[in-house]
Amino acid sequence: RLALRSLEPLPTLAHPAPLPPRVAAALWAAEARSAPGSIPQLYPWNVHRNFSEDRAPLIFASQVARDVMSTALKRGQVRGMLQWHLKWFAVTAWVTRNLTTDEILATYARSLWMGRLGRSLAETARRLYGKELGELDDVELALLVGIIKNPDRYDPLRNPRRALERRNVVLQRFVEAGCLPASALPAAESVVFFPREFG
C-alpha cells in the first residue's frame, strides 16, 4: 500500500476486449512457454510464493506494470533501482487484482514496443502483413510473436535469417504447448515468406 500510495495518481486501467484465442495461445507459448493458463491474483501473503514457484504467468502482468512505472519515473516518483524494483513488484500485484487474465494479455499486446515495426502487436501485424491479428496463419503468428524478444535483432526486413530462426523456435514452442500439431511442424518451418516491405 505504501508503494502504491507513492505512485498516485495510478492510471485508470482500460478493460480491453480479449485477444483472438489463437493469438493469446501464441503469446503464452512464445513468452511463457506454456499452454494458455491464468495469471494469479497477487496479495501480500502470496506474492513471494507466486514469483518464486511459477513466474511464467506473471511475465504479462509485470510488463503491463513496467509501463505504469515508466510514467511514474517521468514524474520523479521513483529514485534508484531498489525503489524501482519494490514499486514494480507492488504495481504488478495491483495489475493482477484489477484486470482479468484476458485483459492483462490484451493490454500487454497493445502496449508492446516492436521497434520500428510498430507500437503494438496489432499495428505490427497490419504493417507487416496487411492483416488483422485474427487473420494471421500459424507461420505468420510465430514470426510476429517471435519479434517480441528483441525487435531489432529479429526484424524480418533487416535480419531475415535471424527472424526465420527465431520463428522456428517459436513454432517448436507452439508444438510443445499444443497450439500446433507436431506433424505440421516440418511444413511450417519450410515456409520462406518474408513480410511486405513498408516505408
Side-chain angles (χ1 to χ4, degrees):
R1 280 198 294 267
L2 287 171
L4 293 178
R5 192 175 301 133
S6 71
L7 298 174
E8 291 177 345
L10 289 167
T12 301
L13 294 176
H15 295 275
L19 295 170
R22 284 181 60 253
V23 177
L27 282 173
W28 277 96
E31 295 297 286
R33 302 192 71 165
S34 71
S38 62
I39 297 169
Q41 287 191 330
L42 299 182
Y43 292 91
W45 55 86
N46 74 350
V47 163
H48 174 71
R49 178 173 57 81
N50 278 290
F51 265 89
S52 61
E53 290 180 6
D54 186 11
R55 191 176 180 277
L58 296 172
I59 289 170
F60 307 113
S62 64
Q63 184 59 48
V64 172
R66 186 183 290 272
D67 287 345
V68 175
M69 290 297 296
S70 295
T71 301
L73 191 61
K74 290 174 187 171
R75 290 185 198 145
Q77 294 173 315
V78 182
R79 293 183 178 85
M81 289 305 293
L82 180 59
Q83 268 199 26
W84 168 272
H85 286 290
L86 289 174
K87 292 181 180 184
W88 181 29
F89 205 69
V91 174
T92 299
W94 175 73
V95 167
T96 68
R97 297 199 307 269
N98 285 275
L99 294 176
T100 66
T101 292
D102 286 344
E103 290 170 340
I104 290 171
L105 221 62
T107 303
Y108 171 82
R110 190 179 59 191
S111 64
L112 281 170
W113 179 76
M114 302 288 279
R116 72 187 190 106
L117 303 175
R119 177 57 191 166
S120 70
L121 215 56
E123 180 186 337
T124 306
R126 286 190 291 269
R127 293 192 76 186
L128 289 180
Y129 297 110
K131 297 180 180 180
E132 297 302 319
L133 280 175
E135 299 170 344
L136 300 180
D137 63 31
D138 291 325
V139 175
E140 293 166 339
L141 199 50
L143 182 73
L144 182 68
V145 298
I147 294 169
I148 295 169
K149 184 175 182 181
N150 189 325
D152 293 325
R153 181 177 176 81
Y154 300 118
D155 181 326
L157 301 175
R158 290 183 175 165
N159 300 302
R161 182 183 57 80
R162 286 178 181 164
L164 286 179
E165 288 172 356
R166 174 65 183 159
R167 181 205 67 181
N168 289 345
V169 168
V170 173
L171 283 169
Q172 182 62 51
R173 290 183 184 177
F174 282 7
V175 171
E176 292 166 4
C179 302
L180 181 72
S183 59
L185 183 61
E189 288 180 331
S190 70
V191 174
V192 181
F193 169 72
F194 297 101
R196 62 182 188 172
E197 184 64 71
F198 59 86

